[in-house]
Amino acid sequence: MNLPGWPGFKFDEKIILLNFKGMYYMSKANFKECLKQFVRLIDEIENSDRKNILVSNEYFLGLNNLLLLQVMNNNFENYNETLNKIYRQFESIPAYKSLLFNVTQCYELGIYCEIGEVEKGLKIIPTVENNLKKYDSETNGINKLLFYLNIAIIYFFNKNYSKSIYWLNIFLNDYSIKKNDVSSNIYYYGHIINILVHFEAKNYDSIDYLYNQCINNIKKIRKINAFDKVVLNFIKTNATHLIKSQKEQLNSFHQLKKALTEIIKTPEESISLHFFDFFSWIDSHLNNESIADLIKKKRLN
C-alpha cells in the first residue's frame, strides 16, 4: 500500500510524513491543504490491515485533527460524522476517557460556539462541568480557559447573562492561568467578551470599572488592535451616555458596523473575528435576531 507520490514508504513512515505535512501547512495557516493531509491520514489508517490500529493513539489524534480542520475549513457537513466516529470508537475504552474530555469535548464545545449551535452546547455543559472536576489534575491551563470561556459564550448566546458572567469570573480569576499564560490571546479576548456580556446584561454601573480593568490587563498581553479598541470604546460610550431612543441606538450600531468593516480591510485586524463574531452581535441589535441564529445563517450562505 504505497502513498501516492511516495512509493516504497512503509505504513509508519506514511503516518509520520502525513502528520508532519499537516502540521507544516497548519503553521502556514494553509488550512485547506492541511485538511487534505488529515483526510489522507485517516484513509491510510482505516484501510490498513494492521491489528488494533482503529483503537490506537494515531487514529484518535488523527480523527481529532480532522475534526478541527473540517470546522476551520467550514466543512460543516462532515464534522458531525467525524465527531460521532471518535465517540463511537473510543468512548468505551477506559484509557481514553480523559483524552475524550480534554481533546474531543474541548473541540466539540468550541465548535458549537463557532457555528451557533446553542442547544447542542447547552446539552453537553453539565457533562463538561462534571468532567472539569473529575479530570482537574489532568486538564491543562489552556484547556481550562477554553472550557470556561466557551461555556460563558454558550450562555451568552442563550441570553443567560448571570451564568455567563459566573463562568467569566472563574475564567478571569484563575490566577495560576493568568500567571502562566499572560500572553495568551484567549485571555485577551476573554476580557473583551466579559465587558460585552455585562453590557448586554445592562450592568451599566460596572462598565467604567470593567473598561479600565480590561484595558490595563490586555495591554500587558500585547498592543490593543484598532478593531478591539473601537468595540471597547463603543461599549464604554453607550453605557455611560445612555441612548434614549431606539432610532439613536440603531444608528450607533450602524456606525459601529461601518467603522469595523473599514478596519478589517487591514488583514491583521481581522484576527478578532477568529475569537468572536462581533458582526453577528452588532446585527443582532440591527435585525432584532439572536446572535446564534445569525451565525447559523452565515454558515448556510
Side-chain angles (χ1 to χ4, degrees), residues 183-217:
S183 64
S184 172
N185 270 333
I186 305 166
Y187 185 56
Y188 178 103
Y189 283 101
H191 263 293
I192 296 174
I193 292 168
N194 181 54
I195 194 171
L196 197 68
V197 175
H198 278 276
F199 177 77
E200 290 298 323
K202 296 182 169 54
N203 296 334
Y204 298 132
D205 292 341
S206 303
I207 295 296
D208 265 349
Y209 168 77
L210 292 171
Y211 174 86
N212 292 330
Q213 182 189 57
C214 178
I215 295 294
N216 289 336
N217 279 289

mmCIF file of all heavy atoms in Angstrom, residues 183-217:
data_model
loop_
_atom_site.group_PDB
_atom_site.id
_atom_site.type_symbol
_atom_site.label_atom_id
_atom_site.label_comp_id
_atom_site.label_asym_id
_atom_site.label_seq_id
_atom_site.Cartn_x
_atom_site.Cartn_y
_atom_site.Cartn_z
ATOM 1 N N SER A 183 0.428 35.905 27.973
ATOM 2 C CA SER A 183 0.470 36.338 26.582
ATOM 3 C C SER A 183 -0.608 35.687 25.716
ATOM 4 O O SER A 183 -0.626 35.857 24.510
ATOM 5 C CB SER A 183 1.856 36.047 25.979
ATOM 6 O OG SER A 183 2.077 34.653 25.965
ATOM 7 N N SER A 184 -1.498 34.939 26.323
ATOM 8 C CA SER A 184 -2.477 34.178 25.549
ATOM 9 C C SER A 184 -3.584 35.060 24.980
ATOM 10 O O SER A 184 -4.194 35.869 25.672
ATOM 11 C CB SER A 184 -3.104 33.097 26.433
ATOM 12 O OG SER A 184 -4.168 32.486 25.760
ATOM 13 N N ASN A 185 -3.866 34.851 23.683
ATOM 14 C CA ASN A 185 -4.988 35.558 23.051
ATOM 15 C C ASN A 185 -6.325 35.145 23.650
ATOM 16 O O ASN A 185 -7.300 35.897 23.583
ATOM 17 C CB ASN A 185 -5.003 35.292 21.544
ATOM 18 C CG ASN A 185 -4.196 36.315 20.768
ATOM 19 O OD1 ASN A 185 -4.034 37.457 21.210
ATOM 20 N ND2 ASN A 185 -3.692 35.930 19.622
ATOM 21 N N ILE A 186 -6.363 33.954 24.224
ATOM 22 C CA ILE A 186 -7.611 33.508 24.854
ATOM 23 C C ILE A 186 -7.962 34.438 26.009
ATOM 24 O O ILE A 186 -9.109 34.871 26.151
ATOM 25 C CB ILE A 186 -7.480 32.059 25.372
ATOM 26 C CG1 ILE A 186 -7.050 31.125 24.249
ATOM 27 C CG2 ILE A 186 -8.798 31.575 25.975
ATOM 28 C CD1 ILE A 186 -6.573 29.768 24.734
ATOM 29 N N TYR A 187 -6.975 34.744 26.816
ATOM 30 C CA TYR A 187 -7.197 35.637 27.951
ATOM 31 C C TYR A 187 -7.502 37.054 27.482
ATOM 32 O O TYR A 187 -8.370 37.740 28.027
ATOM 33 C CB TYR A 187 -5.962 35.615 28.857
ATOM 34 C CG TYR A 187 -6.117 36.405 30.137
ATOM 35 C CD1 TYR A 187 -7.157 36.134 31.021
ATOM 36 C CD2 TYR A 187 -5.211 37.406 30.464
ATOM 37 C CE1 TYR A 187 -7.287 36.862 32.190
ATOM 38 C CE2 TYR A 187 -5.332 38.133 31.634
ATOM 39 C CZ TYR A 187 -6.385 37.855 32.490
ATOM 40 O OH TYR A 187 -6.520 38.582 33.648
ATOM 41 N N TYR A 188 -6.809 37.488 26.460
ATOM 42 C CA TYR A 188 -7.031 38.816 25.861
ATOM 43 C C TYR A 188 -8.503 38.983 25.470
ATOM 44 O O TYR A 188 -9.173 39.931 25.863
ATOM 45 C CB TYR A 188 -6.119 38.954 24.642
ATOM 46 C CG TYR A 188 -6.228 40.238 23.846
ATOM 47 C CD1 TYR A 188 -5.268 41.241 23.976
ATOM 48 C CD2 TYR A 188 -7.252 40.438 22.930
ATOM 49 C CE1 TYR A 188 -5.343 42.412 23.227
ATOM 50 C CE2 TYR A 188 -7.341 41.597 22.186
ATOM 51 C CZ TYR A 188 -6.377 42.584 22.332
ATOM 52 O OH TYR A 188 -6.467 43.740 21.582
ATOM 53 N N TYR A 189 -9.017 38.028 24.689
ATOM 54 C CA TYR A 189 -10.404 38.153 24.216
ATOM 55 C C TYR A 189 -11.424 37.811 25.294
ATOM 56 O O TYR A 189 -12.567 38.268 25.230
ATOM 57 C CB TYR A 189 -10.603 37.316 22.946
ATOM 58 C CG TYR A 189 -10.007 38.020 21.760
ATOM 59 C CD1 TYR A 189 -8.765 37.655 21.262
ATOM 60 C CD2 TYR A 189 -10.640 39.115 21.179
ATOM 61 C CE1 TYR A 189 -8.182 38.335 20.205
ATOM 62 C CE2 TYR A 189 -10.074 39.803 20.125
ATOM 63 C CZ TYR A 189 -8.848 39.416 19.639
ATOM 64 O OH TYR A 189 -8.271 40.106 18.604
ATOM 65 N N GLY A 190 -11.016 37.029 26.282
ATOM 66 C CA GLY A 190 -11.919 36.770 27.400
ATOM 67 C C GLY A 190 -12.307 38.046 28.115
ATOM 68 O O GLY A 190 -13.459 38.227 28.519
ATOM 69 N N HIS A 191 -11.350 38.966 28.276
ATOM 70 C CA HIS A 191 -11.638 40.261 28.893
ATOM 71 C C HIS A 191 -12.637 41.065 28.064
ATOM 72 O O HIS A 191 -13.548 41.702 28.607
ATOM 73 C CB HIS A 191 -10.342 41.068 29.052
ATOM 74 C CG HIS A 191 -9.740 40.953 30.418
ATOM 75 N ND1 HIS A 191 -10.337 41.472 31.544
ATOM 76 C CD2 HIS A 191 -8.591 40.362 30.849
ATOM 77 C CE1 HIS A 191 -9.578 41.233 32.597
ATOM 78 N NE2 HIS A 191 -8.517 40.554 32.207
ATOM 79 N N ILE A 192 -12.476 41.040 26.747
ATOM 80 C CA ILE A 192 -13.372 41.805 25.872
ATOM 81 C C ILE A 192 -14.776 41.212 25.896
ATOM 82 O O ILE A 192 -15.776 41.942 25.978
ATOM 83 C CB ILE A 192 -12.809 41.850 24.435
ATOM 84 C CG1 ILE A 192 -11.472 42.596 24.428
ATOM 85 C CG2 ILE A 192 -13.805 42.525 23.490
ATOM 86 C CD1 ILE A 192 -10.752 42.593 23.092
ATOM 87 N N ILE A 193 -14.866 39.884 25.848
ATOM 88 C CA ILE A 193 -16.178 39.235 25.894
ATOM 89 C C ILE A 193 -16.852 39.494 27.240
ATOM 90 O O ILE A 193 -18.069 39.669 27.316
ATOM 91 C CB ILE A 193 -16.033 37.724 25.601
ATOM 92 C CG1 ILE A 193 -15.626 37.534 24.132
ATOM 93 C CG2 ILE A 193 -17.339 36.975 25.890
ATOM 94 C CD1 ILE A 193 -15.169 36.137 23.790
ATOM 95 N N ASN A 194 -16.063 39.551 28.306
ATOM 96 C CA ASN A 194 -16.618 39.824 29.631
ATOM 97 C C ASN A 194 -17.342 41.173 29.669
ATOM 98 O O ASN A 194 -18.482 41.278 30.142
ATOM 99 C CB ASN A 194 -15.498 39.808 30.667
ATOM 100 C CG ASN A 194 -15.993 40.051 32.078
ATOM 101 O OD1 ASN A 194 -16.885 39.358 32.563
ATOM 102 N ND2 ASN A 194 -15.435 41.044 32.739
ATOM 103 N N ILE A 195 -16.706 42.222 29.158
ATOM 104 C CA ILE A 195 -17.330 43.546 29.177
ATOM 105 C C ILE A 195 -18.535 43.590 28.227
ATOM 106 O O ILE A 195 -19.531 44.269 28.493
ATOM 107 C CB ILE A 195 -16.297 44.653 28.842
ATOM 108 C CG1 ILE A 195 -16.853 46.029 29.210
ATOM 109 C CG2 ILE A 195 -15.852 44.614 27.404
ATOM 110 C CD1 ILE A 195 -15.827 47.147 29.117
ATOM 111 N N LEU A 196 -18.468 42.790 27.156
ATOM 112 C CA LEU A 196 -19.586 42.696 26.213
ATOM 113 C C LEU A 196 -20.815 42.083 26.886
ATOM 114 O O LEU A 196 -21.946 42.577 26.725
ATOM 115 C CB LEU A 196 -19.158 41.840 25.023
ATOM 116 C CG LEU A 196 -19.987 41.905 23.750
ATOM 117 C CD1 LEU A 196 -19.860 43.269 23.090
ATOM 118 C CD2 LEU A 196 -19.511 40.822 22.777
ATOM 119 N N VAL A 197 -20.596 41.025 27.658
ATOM 120 C CA VAL A 197 -21.708 40.361 28.355
ATOM 121 C C VAL A 197 -22.319 41.292 29.401
ATOM 122 O O VAL A 197 -23.544 41.380 29.518
ATOM 123 C CB VAL A 197 -21.244 39.038 29.008
ATOM 124 C CG1 VAL A 197 -22.378 38.427 29.826
ATOM 125 C CG2 VAL A 197 -20.780 38.051 27.945
ATOM 126 N N HIS A 198 -21.486 41.990 30.149
ATOM 127 C CA HIS A 198 -22.002 42.946 31.140
ATOM 128 C C HIS A 198 -22.809 44.052 30.462
ATOM 129 O O HIS A 198 -23.829 44.508 31.005
ATOM 130 C CB HIS A 198 -20.848 43.550 31.949
ATOM 131 C CG HIS A 198 -20.397 42.681 33.074
ATOM 132 N ND1 HIS A 198 -21.007 42.683 34.309
ATOM 133 C CD2 HIS A 198 -19.392 41.761 33.150
ATOM 134 C CE1 HIS A 198 -20.405 41.822 35.108
ATOM 135 N NE2 HIS A 198 -19.411 41.248 34.427
ATOM 136 N N PHE A 199 -22.376 44.471 29.294
ATOM 137 C CA PHE A 199 -23.116 45.492 28.532
ATOM 138 C C PHE A 199 -24.497 44.974 28.146
ATOM 139 O O PHE A 199 -25.505 45.660 28.323
ATOM 140 C CB PHE A 199 -22.318 45.871 27.282
ATOM 141 C CG PHE A 199 -23.004 46.867 26.387
ATOM 142 C CD1 PHE A 199 -23.029 48.220 26.712
ATOM 143 C CD2 PHE A 199 -23.620 46.457 25.214
ATOM 144 C CE1 PHE A 199 -23.669 49.143 25.883
ATOM 145 C CE2 PHE A 199 -24.253 47.360 24.378
ATOM 146 C CZ PHE A 199 -24.277 48.718 24.715
ATOM 147 N N GLU A 200 -24.548 43.741 27.643
ATOM 148 C CA GLU A 200 -25.836 43.154 27.244
ATOM 149 C C GLU A 200 -26.724 42.885 28.456
ATOM 150 O O GLU A 200 -27.951 42.940 28.353
ATOM 151 C CB GLU A 200 -25.613 41.861 26.458
ATOM 152 C CG GLU A 200 -25.021 42.066 25.083
ATOM 153 C CD GLU A 200 -25.920 42.892 24.174
ATOM 154 O OE1 GLU A 200 -27.148 42.746 24.232
ATOM 155 O OE2 GLU A 200 -25.384 43.709 23.398
ATOM 156 N N ALA A 201 -26.105 42.618 29.593
ATOM 157 C CA ALA A 201 -26.876 42.394 30.826
ATOM 158 C C ALA A 201 -27.330 43.715 31.458
ATOM 159 O O ALA A 201 -28.002 43.702 32.494
ATOM 160 C CB ALA A 201 -26.036 41.606 31.827
ATOM 161 N N LYS A 202 -26.940 44.840 30.805
ATOM 162 C CA LYS A 202 -27.298 46.185 31.278
ATOM 163 C C LYS A 202 -26.709 46.511 32.652
ATOM 164 O O LYS A 202 -27.301 47.241 33.439
ATOM 165 C CB LYS A 202 -28.824 46.387 31.277
ATOM 166 C CG LYS A 202 -29.441 46.324 29.881
ATOM 167 C CD LYS A 202 -30.939 46.565 29.915
ATOM 168 C CE LYS A 202 -31.511 46.775 28.517
ATOM 169 N NZ LYS A 202 -31.193 45.710 27.556
ATOM 170 N N ASN A 203 -25.534 45.950 32.913
ATOM 171 C CA ASN A 203 -24.812 46.284 34.143
ATOM 172 C C ASN A 203 -23.988 47.553 33.910
ATOM 173 O O ASN A 203 -22.758 47.566 34.034
ATOM 174 C CB ASN A 203 -23.891 45.122 34.557
ATOM 175 C CG ASN A 203 -24.664 43.869 34.912
ATOM 176 O OD1 ASN A 203 -25.829 43.946 35.311
ATOM 177 N ND2 ASN A 203 -24.036 42.724 34.775
ATOM 178 N N TYR A 204 -24.689 48.631 33.569
ATOM 179 C CA TYR A 204 -24.010 49.853 33.130
ATOM 180 C C TYR A 204 -23.138 50.475 34.219
ATOM 181 O O TYR A 204 -22.109 51.084 33.919
ATOM 182 C CB TYR A 204 -25.032 50.880 32.639
ATOM 183 C CG TYR A 204 -25.847 50.420 31.448
ATOM 184 C CD1 TYR A 204 -27.236 50.560 31.429
ATOM 185 C CD2 TYR A 204 -25.230 49.842 30.340
ATOM 186 C CE1 TYR A 204 -27.987 50.140 30.339
ATOM 187 C CE2 TYR A 204 -25.969 49.406 29.247
ATOM 188 C CZ TYR A 204 -27.352 49.562 29.250
ATOM 189 O OH TYR A 204 -28.090 49.149 28.181
ATOM 190 N N ASP A 205 -23.529 50.313 35.464
ATOM 191 C CA ASP A 205 -22.743 50.901 36.556
ATOM 192 C C ASP A 205 -21.354 50.278 36.669
ATOM 193 O O ASP A 205 -20.448 50.891 37.256
ATOM 194 C CB ASP A 205 -23.478 50.741 37.894
ATOM 195 C CG ASP A 205 -24.745 51.586 37.963
ATOM 196 O OD1 ASP A 205 -24.855 52.534 37.162
ATOM 197 O OD2 ASP A 205 -25.608 51.298 38.821
ATOM 198 N N SER A 206 -21.205 49.075 36.136
ATOM 199 C CA SER A 206 -19.915 48.373 36.243
ATOM 200 C C SER A 206 -19.007 48.621 35.046
ATOM 201 O O SER A 206 -17.815 48.267 35.089
ATOM 202 C CB SER A 206 -20.155 46.861 36.355
ATOM 203 O OG SER A 206 -20.986 46.546 37.445
ATOM 204 N N ILE A 207 -19.541 49.218 33.984
ATOM 205 C CA ILE A 207 -18.797 49.294 32.730
ATOM 206 C C ILE A 207 -17.506 50.100 32.840
ATOM 207 O O ILE A 207 -16.458 49.686 32.335
ATOM 208 C CB ILE A 207 -19.681 49.848 31.592
ATOM 209 C CG1 ILE A 207 -20.836 48.882 31.288
ATOM 210 C CG2 ILE A 207 -18.851 50.106 30.337
ATOM 211 C CD1 ILE A 207 -20.427 47.528 30.767
ATOM 212 N N ASP A 208 -17.553 51.241 33.512
ATOM 213 C CA ASP A 208 -16.333 52.059 33.638
ATOM 214 C C ASP A 208 -15.205 51.272 34.295
ATOM 215 O O ASP A 208 -14.055 51.287 33.826
ATOM 216 C CB ASP A 208 -16.620 53.330 34.450
ATOM 217 C CG ASP A 208 -16.939 54.513 33.556
ATOM 218 O OD1 ASP A 208 -16.737 54.398 32.335
ATOM 219 O OD2 ASP A 208 -17.409 55.538 34.072
ATOM 220 N N TYR A 209 -15.539 50.600 35.392
ATOM 221 C CA TYR A 209 -14.535 49.800 36.114
ATOM 222 C C TYR A 209 -14.024 48.665 35.221
ATOM 223 O O TYR A 209 -12.816 48.438 35.119
ATOM 224 C CB TYR A 209 -15.137 49.234 37.392
ATOM 225 C CG TYR A 209 -14.284 48.182 38.050
ATOM 226 C CD1 TYR A 209 -13.147 48.531 38.793
ATOM 227 C CD2 TYR A 209 -14.587 46.825 37.909
ATOM 228 C CE1 TYR A 209 -12.344 47.565 39.369
ATOM 229 C CE2 TYR A 209 -13.788 45.849 38.476
ATOM 230 C CZ TYR A 209 -12.677 46.219 39.210
ATOM 231 O OH TYR A 209 -11.878 45.252 39.782
ATOM 232 N N LEU A 210 -14.955 47.953 34.567
ATOM 233 C CA LEU A 210 -14.575 46.829 33.725
ATOM 234 C C LEU A 210 -13.751 47.283 32.525
ATOM 235 O O LEU A 210 -12.821 46.588 32.095
ATOM 236 C CB LEU A 210 -15.828 46.075 33.239
ATOM 237 C CG LEU A 210 -16.612 45.327 34.313
ATOM 238 C CD1 LEU A 210 -17.934 44.828 33.747
ATOM 239 C CD2 LEU A 210 -15.800 44.159 34.860
ATOM 240 N N TYR A 211 -14.099 48.447 31.978
ATOM 241 C CA TYR A 211 -13.346 49.001 30.846
ATOM 242 C C TYR A 211 -11.892 49.251 31.251
ATOM 243 O O TYR A 211 -10.952 48.840 30.554
ATOM 244 C CB TYR A 211 -13.995 50.297 30.372
ATOM 245 C CG TYR A 211 -13.211 51.015 29.300
ATOM 246 C CD1 TYR A 211 -13.382 50.697 27.955
ATOM 247 C CD2 TYR A 211 -12.297 52.017 29.632
ATOM 248 C CE1 TYR A 211 -12.651 51.352 26.967
ATOM 249 C CE2 TYR A 211 -11.568 52.674 28.653
ATOM 250 C CZ TYR A 211 -11.750 52.346 27.321
ATOM 251 O OH TYR A 211 -11.037 52.997 26.348
ATOM 252 N N ASN A 212 -11.700 49.916 32.381
ATOM 253 C CA ASN A 212 -10.341 50.212 32.847
ATOM 254 C C ASN A 212 -9.562 48.938 33.163
ATOM 255 O O ASN A 212 -8.382 48.811 32.842
ATOM 256 C CB ASN A 212 -10.390 51.118 34.082
ATOM 257 C CG ASN A 212 -10.891 52.509 33.756
ATOM 258 O OD1 ASN A 212 -10.689 53.009 32.645
ATOM 259 N ND2 ASN A 212 -11.569 53.141 34.702
ATOM 260 N N GLN A 213 -10.256 47.990 33.802
ATOM 261 C CA GLN A 213 -9.634 46.701 34.116
ATOM 262 C C GLN A 213 -9.237 45.975 32.835
ATOM 263 O O GLN A 213 -8.135 45.414 32.739
ATOM 264 C CB GLN A 213 -10.606 45.844 34.926
ATOM 265 C CG GLN A 213 -10.040 44.497 35.352
ATOM 266 C CD GLN A 213 -11.097 43.594 35.949
ATOM 267 O OE1 GLN A 213 -12.118 43.307 35.309
ATOM 268 N NE2 GLN A 213 -10.882 43.154 37.180
ATOM 269 N N CYS A 214 -10.137 45.984 31.867
ATOM 270 C CA CYS A 214 -9.896 45.316 30.589
ATOM 271 C C CYS A 214 -8.689 45.922 29.883
ATOM 272 O O CYS A 214 -7.772 45.201 29.464
ATOM 273 C CB CYS A 214 -11.144 45.435 29.717
ATOM 274 S SG CYS A 214 -10.973 44.700 28.073
ATOM 275 N N ILE A 215 -8.670 47.243 29.748
ATOM 276 C CA ILE A 215 -7.564 47.923 29.070
ATOM 277 C C ILE A 215 -6.236 47.637 29.759
ATOM 278 O O ILE A 215 -5.235 47.303 29.111
ATOM 279 C CB ILE A 215 -7.815 49.453 29.009
ATOM 280 C CG1 ILE A 215 -9.033 49.776 28.132
ATOM 281 C CG2 ILE A 215 -6.567 50.179 28.513
ATOM 282 C CD1 ILE A 215 -8.847 49.454 26.675
ATOM 283 N N ASN A 216 -6.209 47.740 31.076
ATOM 284 C CA ASN A 216 -4.970 47.519 31.835
ATOM 285 C C ASN A 216 -4.434 46.102 31.652
ATOM 286 O O ASN A 216 -3.223 45.890 31.521
ATOM 287 C CB ASN A 216 -5.189 47.803 33.321
ATOM 288 C CG ASN A 216 -5.371 49.285 33.609
ATOM 289 O OD1 ASN A 216 -4.916 50.127 32.836
ATOM 290 N ND2 ASN A 216 -6.048 49.599 34.699
ATOM 291 N N ASN A 217 -5.346 45.134 31.653
ATOM 292 C CA ASN A 217 -4.911 43.735 31.570
ATOM 293 C C ASN A 217 -4.502 43.328 30.162
ATOM 294 O O ASN A 217 -3.498 42.629 29.986
ATOM 295 C CB ASN A 217 -6.006 42.809 32.086
ATOM 296 C CG ASN A 217 -6.010 42.725 33.597
ATOM 297 O OD1 ASN A 217 -5.132 42.139 34.211
ATOM 298 N ND2 ASN A 217 -7.009 43.330 34.218
#
